[in-house]
Amino acid sequence: MYSRLLRTKPVGAMAHGSDDLTELAEGSAVGLAKVLTTADLVSLGVGSCVGTGMYVVAGLVAKAMAGPGVILSFIIAAVASILSGVCYAEFGVRVPKTTGSAYTYSYVTVGEFVAFFIGWNLILEYLIGTAAGASALSNMFDSLANHSISSYMITHLGTVRGLGEDTYPDVLALFIALLVTVVIALGVKNSVKFNNVLNVVNLVVWVFMIIAGLFFLSASNWEGGNFLPYGWSGVMQGAATCFYAFIGFDIIATTGEEAKNPNTSIPYAITASLVTCLTAYVSVSVILTLMVPYDLIDGSAPLMEMFAVHGFLWGKYTVAVGSIAGLTVSLLGSLFPMPRVIYAMARDGLLFRFLTHVSALTHTPAVACVVSGSFAAILALLVSLRDLIEMMSIGTLLAYTLVSVCVLLLRYQPDGQIDTYQFNSEDDMDNLKLLGGHYYTLRVRLGMPDSSARPTPATGRIVTRCTLSFFFMSFFLWSTIIFGVEQGSGLGAAFSGLMATLMMGSLVKLLILIVQQPESPQRLPYMAPCVPFVPAAAILVNSYLMLKLSPLTWARFTIWCLIGLLIYGCYGVWHSTLELNTREQQAHASSYRRYDDNLDDTFSPDDLYPQDQDDGPYQGWSAPEERGHRYQNQNEDREDEQEQSQYEEDGDPYGYQSGAGVQYPSGGSRSKGRTNFGFDDEDD
């Protein structure tokens, strides 16, 4: 069972150009259409962010959490997003077949269980984001109608107890979510064109708000301690909520399989989306908090009401048009990647196989669209907008943290497929220019290896242990600081401070130990800078923001995770594509052993197939030779076998894992006949 939880997909099998049948859904004759340009990806990313982030989150955080300090909250959240974004960009290039986003990345590096856990939480975030977008649009129409819609619903339908506060059944939000589901199911290019039109409208209204708002500013709203009314704690709590407003680069990575040229489109689109979104949020937050005192901001439609307060009704209705366009784009941005994550997980057998059906007419995962859209509509019907927004960030933060962990793991693992991107010796020259004469002194003092050094399974295991220790210790560190130092007093706070200092020293020591290991020579069109420091900073910032979220959010998150674990334990682990492949290979191997029954006793088939010996636990696809010397559970006494497998992998121009041919001579792989059967035609 342990080996099942840690089995991974080989990176080479995920690359473009490998004719892997998994690119097509089982039972379908078509795959996903490659129609998205760089501009389309930027439009999707900006649209998914700017709608809910600008028209809802900015006002909510300013009113209830940070006051005008919401500006700092957005900047802090942007820094955290950029740290994770560069890691996402590297993975988008390293694993171009990214229908499942962080799910696919973690399946390649960390293992199946962690991949399912991340994918399951991405589904939660997209569900909540879609429901929140539909609910925000409903509130916008209700505000335009002077709250007559909500009054009618309460009078005729009453109120229901959702996941938090009481709310009325939002039938309008239900219909909005179902309508957008139909738009998404009609096809990628159709929905992208619609998305681009709405983005243009949103952009025009944003410019209007900035220019028109300049005539109604009042500096007194920031004076007298009003800029940080809730202190820095409120700013950090607001940053945790604002983080969801930067989820745009996640949708960019998710749709990578439908991009025309993902190697260049994904890094450029991620960078452009983050910069554009940060500019929009900061500018709108400045205008909002200078036009209206933070405690008087309207909670349901802040940007519309900020003009109404000053009697500028024409401005209110202009912003209403932009709000409808922006929230619709945000709704599309949340619903667009959700069925694709479900499709990727079902294609791998971790979710139910019927979800892999791709429509021959629209080239979209139609069944996954309908199922996910229906669930989002039910959430929008029964749960209030405030409760939805509070649940938005936690799963996203965890997924981004795991992506940063994956970057660290892949950078320091031995990789047999380095022929595509050869080692580039210019890195040392770049560092030399940056640090001058101190560069070589720093290398010696830190014990950094020579640039010609190559990672080995032993150094890969060291980095794995250090990275996982860093990940868990970061949560312990921030828990000690938040609950012991910030909220404690007296001797308890002093003791917590001492413990936090010791843990900080341990984190620094772990980072130095990682730096001392040789890095993989593989070079990609885009690589995250300053590894391991940038991924480590992303882990620290994201874990801190997660712990600033409310206990109720953690309770809801725990329930969702338990449901996912039940599905994985009862279905996914036994129906995984890797599990089925392993069983098929074992069946072929056992049939060969039956032919060996009449051999001379002095000749044992175990001599040919040393993996069949009982000197180790069952490993299946998590075996080191199957995973291209991946970091998990590599025993020192198997290094000779790994070298043999590595030699065979180097001879495969298609990027398929050929170790299976050694372990199971009959093949049994689903790789369209390219599996190495363990026999040489010339020898025959």
Side-chain angles (χ1 to χ4, degrees):
M1 179 57 68
Y2 180 73
S3 65
R4 285 186 172 98
L5 299 181
L6 296 179
R7 57 193 172 196
T8 61
K9 279 186 172 184
V11 177
M14 306 292 294
H16 280 295
S18 62
D19 300 325
D20 194 353
L21 282 176
T22 58
E23 186 172 355
L24 306 180
E26 292 193 3
S28 299
V30 291
L32 300 180
K34 300 181 185 300
V35 296
L36 301 182
T37 64
T38 302
D40 290 332
L41 292 178
V42 173
S43 180
L44 281 171
V46 172
S48 66
C49 294
V50 170
T52 305
M54 188 163 67
Y55 292 104
V56 178
V57 175
L60 174 73
V61 173
K63 181 179 179 66
M65 299 180 187
V70 65
I71 300 168
L72 301 177
S73 296
F74 274 123
I75 293 174
I76 293 171
V79 171
S81 300
I82 290 171
L83 292 173
S84 300
V86 294
C87 297
Y88 252 101
E90 175 174 328
F91 261 108
V93 174
R94 186 185 291 269
V95 191
K97 192 173 182 177
T98 51
T99 306
S101 178
Y103 158 76
T104 303
Y105 306 158
S106 55
Y107 210 161
V108 168
T109 55
V110 180
E112 184 175 282
F113 174 73
V114 176
F116 178 88
F117 188 73
I118 290 178
W120 186 246
N121 287 304
L122 285 176
I123 293 173
L124 170 67
E125 294 308 309
Y126 294 137
L127 273 174
I128 294 173
T130 303
S135 182
L137 267 175
S138 176
N139 284 357
M140 197 69 61
F141 287 121
D142 185 42
S143 178
L144 286 173
N146 294 322
H147 303 287
S148 59
I149 298 176
S150 58
S151 299
Y152 180 86
M153 296 289 184
I154 293 173
T155 302
H156 292 81
L157 299 178
T159 59
V160 295
R161 180 74 174 176
L163 295 179
E165 63 184 11
D166 291 339
T167 183
Y168 63 92
D170 198 342
V171 179
L172 179 58
L174 171 73
F175 283 116
I176 290 173
L178 292 177
L179 177 63
V180 176
T181 300
V182 173
V183 173
I184 292 292
L186 286 178
V188 174
K189 197 60 184 177
N190 296 332
S191 56
V192 168
K193 288 180 179 178
F194 181 53
N195 181 88
N196 293 343
V197 171
L198 294 179
N199 263 337
V200 172
V201 176
N202 195 21
L203 177 64
V204 172
V205 173
W206 169 53
V207 174
F208 167 80
M209 281 190 296
I210 302 304
I211 296 176
L214 294 176
F215 296 95
F216 303 99
L217 303 184
S218 174
S220 61
N221 293 339
W222 285 12
E223 296 175 351
N226 288 332
F227 187 78
L228 296 178
Y230 301 98
W232 279 102
S233 179
V235 170
M236 299 307 297
Q237 183 181 0
T241 303
C242 290
F243 188 87
Y244 182 81
F246 292 93
I247 200 174
F249 65 83
D250 183 74
I251 180 181
I252 291 170
T254 303
T255 55
E257 190 173 345
E258 295 160 90
K260 291 181 179 179
N261 188 3
N263 280 0
T264 57
S265 295
I266 291 178
Y268 290 150
I270 287 176
T271 304
S273 296
L274 288 175
V275 172
T276 304
C277 292
L278 178 60
T279 304
Y281 295 149
V282 170
S283 59
V284 166
S285 299
V286 169
I287 295 296
L288 174 63
T289 54
L290 285 176
M291 285 183 64
V292 184
Y294 74 91
D295 53 339
L296 299 180
I297 292 175
D298 184 82
S300 58
L303 300 187
M304 288 170 52
E305 297 300 328
M306 75 179 181
F307 286 110
V309 167
H310 293 277
F312 187 33
L313 296 181
W314 184 71
K316 171 184 177 180
Y317 293 120
T318 303
V319 174
V321 174
S323 300
I324 294 171
L327 290 172
T328 302
V329 174
S330 182
L331 183 55
L332 284 169
S334 293
L335 188 54
F336 188 85
M338 178 164 55
R340 285 152 180 81
V341 175
I342 296 174
Y343 164 81
M345 296 179 69
R347 183 177 60 184
D348 292 329
L350 302 186
L351 291 180
F352 306 106
R353 293 277 183 179
F354 72 89
L355 296 170
T356 62
H357 176 73
V358 175
S359 170
L361 180 63
T362 62
H363 292 262
T364 57
V367 176
C369 281
V370 173
V371 171
S372 57
S374 300
F375 275 110
I378 294 173
L379 273 179
L381 174 70
L382 300 177
V383 184
S384 70
L385 177 60
R386 182 180 180 87
D387 287 331
L388 289 170
I389 290 177
E390 288 180 355
M391 291 178 61
M392 279 183 175
S393 294
I394 186 167
T396 309
L397 283 165
L398 181 61
Y400 293 174
T401 304
L402 265 295
V403 168
S404 302
V405 170
C406 291
V407 168
L408 271 178
L409 295 178
L410 270 190
R411 278 291 192 95
Y412 291 92
Q413 303 305 315
D415 194 341
Q417 299 172 2
I418 62 174
D419 295 334
T420 304
Y421 305 105
Q422 294 296 332
F423 176 76
N424 185 2
S425 60
E426 294 180 358
D427 285 358
D428 277 352
M429 296 301 299
D430 294 338
N431 293 328
L432 183 60
K433 294 176 183 178
L434 182 64
L435 297 176
H438 300 287
Y439 173 64
Y440 292 109
T441 303
L442 185 63
R443 288 185 64 95
V444 172
R445 291 186 176 180
L446 291 179
M448 296 174 63
D450 186 78
S451 58
S452 61
R454 296 293 184 268
T456 64
T459 62
R461 284 193 296 271
I462 293 175
V463 173
T464 298
R465 297 190 187 104
C466 291
T467 302
L468 296 180
S469 300
F470 191 96
F471 172 73
F472 289 111
M473 192 173 294
S474 65
F475 282 93
F476 290 130
L477 169 65
W478 294 125
S479 299
T480 304
I481 292 176
I482 293 173
F483 304 111
V485 178
E486 293 182 0
Q487 301 180 9
S489 60
L491 186 61
F495 179 75
S496 299
L498 177 61
M499 293 297 297
T501 303
L502 294 176
M503 282 188 278
M504 287 180 185
S506 299
L507 291 176
V508 172
K509 185 176 180 180
L510 289 172
L511 267 182
I512 293 176
L513 194 57
I514 293 175
V515 169
Q516 291 174 346
Q517 310 308 314
E519 192 174 336
S520 172
Q522 184 179 18
R523 287 297 175 262
L524 305 169
Y526 177 85
M527 301 185 73
C530 301
V531 173
F533 301 106
V534 166
I539 293 171
L540 286 172
V541 174
N542 293 348
S543 57
Y544 177 79
L545 294 179
M546 286 178 67
L547 291 171
K548 293 296 288 186
L549 296 169
S550 67
L552 184 58
T553 300
W554 278 92
R556 296 165 181 157
F557 177 68
T558 302
I559 294 173
W560 174 260
C561 290
L562 291 176
I563 296 173
L565 290 176
L566 186 63
I567 293 176
Y568 179 72
C570 297
Y571 179 86
V573 69
W574 309 111
H575 293 82
S576 165
T577 300
L578 299 184
E579 173 72 16
L580 298 179
N581 287 346
T582 302
R583 291 180 184 176
E584 185 178 348
Q585 292 164 350
Q586 285 180 327
H588 283 288
S590 63
S591 66
Y592 268 77
R593 282 195 292 269
R594 285 197 297 271
Y595 287 110
D596 293 333
D597 288 342
N598 296 325
L599 289 176
D600 187 12
D601 291 339
T602 60
F603 183 81
S604 172
D606 291 338
D607 296 334
L608 284 177
Y609 312 113
Q611 293 92 329
D612 295 339
Q613 296 177 2
D614 295 331
D615 58 350
Y618 163 77
Q619 292 192 2
W621 275 79
S622 70
E625 62 270 25
E626 290 291 350
R627 299 163 54 196
H629 297 305
R630 289 294 166 255
Y631 70 97
Q632 298 285 355
N633 296 333
Q634 298 182 2
N635 300 322
E636 292 290 349
D637 59 344
R638 296 198 175 187
E639 292 186 2
D640 292 336
E641 298 172 22
Q642 292 168 345
E643 291 175 2
Q644 179 184 358
S645 175
Q646 192 69 38
Y647 171 80
E648 294 173 358
E649 289 174 7
D650 289 341
D652 185 0
Y654 296 98
Y656 287 93
Q657 298 290 330
S658 59
V662 180
Q663 186 172 359
Y664 305 110
S666 63
S669 171
R670 298 186 180 184
S671 56
K672 297 182 65 176
R674 287 202 175 99
T675 304
N676 184 347
F677 288 90
F679 296 97
D680 219 286
D681 293 337
E682 297 178 359
D683 293 343
D684 291 345

